[in-house]
């Protein structure tokens, strides 16, 4: 049985980020992973422009201005944003200018309108600017054309989309979405829309994992429930491996009489890297790699809580790495204070689900109510974190600090 750290190392080492790319229109690029670095042929700002409403002036004309001895300038034009200047400023002249408008040739400074007094076609400057260039955003100050604008391997969110739009990148090269096939194993399972007979169990795992993948913006193929027969399992797994970059199954990976998964994986050419992990919940976790198909297989426990906890702890970062993210794909942990005492499992790293919140500038963890059974998915609702209790710990007393795994939003 592997430690959590050793299992994590083997899983992450088996993941090779996708490099296949596709071009998508900018409105469809949100949430996608950038495939190649983006460079723009435009400077940012595109030209010298005003950061304030006021007057474009020559610094040397107004450097000595004051309320007692104002400097009077001739206003030769009004320049609104989006309208290019029509004149070059000369000695003793100014141009009325608005935020974002181009600074006219000859001007080098902006005097804010609060420091002036307008009188017809003239303006009195009552207060000198602090320095030449004040309130001028110079061309190329934020970005110089031809240099890297956005690096490959980042997720495109609102700010990045804004940058791409400003750079007039109408089509963006992104990494294709990972393809993940999911299946539930077990002759005892029924779909939520089927009548429940004595001894049967509703398959919640298929729906949980589909939602989990949707939140990660990953293309999912739901293969439904597969009976506990070697022939059915072998055929479904073979087809899933041919379609997906990753296959995730739930159930069939423990040591029961009807658990055939590991043998089937080996028969299909899989190299099993992980067979069980010292984690509670989630001990019967399998990971296999298929070098010829360049695909991975995750066999998660059938108990609903175990399936989700192992998906959050191991599968999520693996999929994020696979998606092409260059950073930010590792599990995210914070230090928090537990509100209640937390039990431990002496020989396994224990994950207790609940909610983490910031109070007085510090993280605080509150475990979910009810029993912490791997089959009790009811109190898993609204969970946003799992407290981590190390192997060998006698438990964590209320008020103590501990590591907490943050879950996806």
């Amino acid at each position: 049985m592997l430690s959590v750290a050793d299992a994590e190392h083997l899983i992450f080492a088996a993941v090779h980020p996708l490099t296949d790319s596709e071009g998508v229109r900018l409105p469809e690029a949100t949430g996608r992973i950038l495939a190649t670095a983006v460079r723009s042929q435009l400077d940012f700002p595109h030209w010298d422009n005003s950061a304030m409403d006021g007057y474009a002036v020559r610094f040397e004309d107004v450097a000595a201005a004051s309320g007692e001895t104002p400097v009077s300038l001739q206003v030769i034009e009004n320049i609104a944003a989006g309208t290019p200047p029509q004149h070059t400023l000369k000695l003793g002249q100014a141009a009325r200018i608005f935020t974002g408008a181009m600074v006219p040739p000859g001007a080098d400074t902006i005097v804010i309108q609060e420091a002036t007094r307008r009188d017809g076609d003239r303006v009195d400057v009552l207060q000198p600017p602090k320095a030449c260039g004040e309130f001028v955003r110079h061309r190329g100050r934020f970005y110089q054309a031809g240099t890297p604008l956005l690096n490959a391997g980042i997720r495109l969110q609102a700010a990045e989309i804004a940058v791409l739009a400003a750079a007039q990148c109408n089509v963006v090269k992104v990494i294709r979405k990972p393809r993940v096939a999911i299946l539930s194993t077990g002759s005892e399972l029924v779909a939520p829309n089927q009548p429940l007979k004595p001894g049967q169990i509703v398959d919640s795992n298929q729906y949980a994992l589909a939602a989990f993948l949707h939140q990660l913006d990953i293309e999912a193929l739901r293969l439904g429930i597969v009976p506990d027969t070697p022939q059915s399992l072998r055929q479904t797994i073979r087809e899933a491996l041919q379609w997906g970059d990753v296959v995730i199954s739930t159930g069939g990976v423990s040591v029961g009489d009807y658990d055939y998964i590991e043998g089937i994986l080996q028969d299909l050419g899989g190299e099993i890297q992980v067979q069980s992990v010292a984690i509670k919940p989630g001990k019967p976790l399998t990971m296999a790699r298929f070098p010829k198909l360049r695909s991975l297989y995750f066999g998660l426990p059938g108990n609903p809580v175990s399936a989700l906890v192992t998906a959050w702890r191991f599968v999520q970062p693996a999929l994020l790495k696979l998606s092409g993210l260059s950073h930010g794909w590792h599990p995210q942990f914070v230090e928090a204070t537990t509100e209640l005492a937390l039990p431990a499992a002496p020989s396994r790293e224990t994950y207790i689900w609940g909610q983490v919140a910031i109070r007085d500038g510090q993280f605080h963890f509150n475990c979910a109510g009810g029993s912490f059974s791997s089959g009790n998915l009811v109190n898993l609702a609204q969970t946003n974190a799992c407290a981590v209790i190390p192997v060998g710990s006698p438990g964590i007393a209320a008020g103590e600090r501990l590591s907490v795994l943050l879950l996806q939003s």
Side-chain angles (χ1 to χ4, degrees):
M1 187 163 56
L2 295 172
S3 68
V4 169
D6 288 343
E8 177 188 74
H9 175 76
L10 289 169
I11 290 169
F12 294 170
V15 177
H16 300 287
L18 295 174
T19 57
D20 301 341
S21 63
E22 59 186 355
V24 298
R25 295 176 59 250
L26 185 57
E28 284 78 55
T30 302
R32 302 297 298 272
I33 309 301
L34 194 61
T36 58
V38 172
R39 301 171 187 265
S40 176
Q41 299 308 307
L42 300 172
D43 291 318
F44 288 84
H46 309 320
W47 42 73
D48 291 356
N49 71 82
S50 177
M52 302 288 284
D53 292 344
Y55 293 86
V57 300
R58 292 160 20 109
F59 178 75
E60 62 181 309
D61 286 345
V62 298
S66 69
E68 294 75 27
T69 57
V71 173
S72 179
L73 301 173
Q74 179 190 8
V75 180
I76 61 171
E77 67 173 322
N78 291 336
I79 309 172
T83 303
Q86 302 299 310
H87 302 283
T88 299
L89 248 64
K90 297 179 181 177
L91 179 68
Q93 294 181 334
R96 180 75 168 108
I97 197 166
F98 298 90
T99 302
M102 292 180 66
V103 175
D108 55 22
T109 302
I110 305 299
V111 175
I112 59 173
Q113 61 188 21
E114 293 83 355
T116 65
R117 180 177 59 227
R118 186 70 182 264
D119 183 14
D121 65 349
R122 301 194 70 82
V123 62
D124 291 337
V125 177
L126 309 175
Q127 181 179 319
K130 294 179 181 178
C132 181
E134 188 171 31
F135 299 121
V136 174
R137 294 185 290 221
H138 291 284
R139 177 175 179 169
R141 174 184 174 186
F142 307 137
Y143 170 79
Q144 292 78 47
T147 59
L149 182 62
L150 294 175
N151 293 322
I154 63 170
R155 189 178 297 279
L156 300 175
Q157 304 289 19
E160 292 78 23
I161 294 295
V163 170
L164 291 169
Q168 297 186 313
C169 294
N170 297 307
V171 176
V172 186
K173 202 174 215 183
V174 297
I175 301 291
R176 71 163 174 85
K177 293 183 181 183
R179 294 189 291 266
V180 178
I182 50 178
L183 60 135
S184 299
T185 70
S187 300
E188 75 279 13
L189 299 176
V190 295
N193 61 349
Q194 293 178 324
L196 188 62
K197 297 177 182 179
Q200 293 184 325
I201 300 171
V202 176
D203 176 23
S204 62
N205 287 338
Q206 184 101 184
Y207 293 82
L209 290 175
F212 165 77
L213 295 173
H214 177 74
Q215 287 179 297
L216 297 178
D217 197 27
I218 286 173
E219 185 178 350
L221 176 65
R222 288 172 50 191
L223 297 176
I225 299 168
V226 184
D228 276 327
T229 64
Q231 183 178 359
S232 297
L233 287 168
R234 182 185 179 89
Q235 179 178 341
T236 304
I237 291 171
R238 183 176 62 245
E239 293 173 355
L241 287 168
Q242 290 172 346
W243 179 85
D245 302 298
V246 173
V247 177
I248 303 175
S249 70
T250 55
V253 291
S254 60
V255 291
D257 292 340
Y258 298 99
D259 297 332
Y260 307 110
I261 295 291
E262 291 189 1
I264 291 171
L265 297 179
Q266 291 172 325
D267 288 345
L268 293 174
E271 299 175 358
I272 296 178
Q273 309 281 295
V274 176
Q275 288 181 291
S276 66
V277 181
I279 184 173
K280 182 180 180 180
K283 175 183 171 183
L285 171 69
T286 296
M287 187 278 288
R289 55 189 291 268
F290 289 79
K292 292 182 179 179
L293 296 172
R294 300 186 67 185
S295 57
L296 296 176
Y297 190 102
F298 288 97
L300 307 185
N303 282 321
V305 175
S306 300
L308 271 176
V309 169
T310 51
W312 287 325
R313 181 60 181 87
F314 300 109
V315 181
Q316 177 175 324
L319 292 177
L320 292 176
K321 180 182 179 182
L322 178 69
S323 71
L325 271 178
S326 58
H327 60 276
W329 55 265
H330 288 88
Q332 301 297 308
F333 294 93
V334 297
E335 290 292 314
T337 300
T338 179
E339 301 292 312
L340 300 172
L342 302 176
S347 60
R348 289 189 281 167
E349 189 168 291
T350 305
Y351 286 68
I352 294 181
W353 50 100
Q355 292 189 330
V356 70
I358 297 176
R359 191 169 68 248
D360 300 327
Q362 301 231 344
F363 286 102
H364 290 261
F365 177 79
N366 211 341
C367 63
S371 68
F372 286 90
S373 164
S374 59
N376 180 19
L377 80 165
V378 174
N379 69 347
L380 201 63
Q382 296 300 296
T383 290
N384 68 0
C386 285
V388 183
I389 303 175
V391 174
S393 170
I396 307 295
E400 287 189 15
R401 302 282 288 172
L402 80 168
S403 181
V404 172
L405 171 67
L406 299 181
L407 308 183
Q408 63 183 12
S409 59

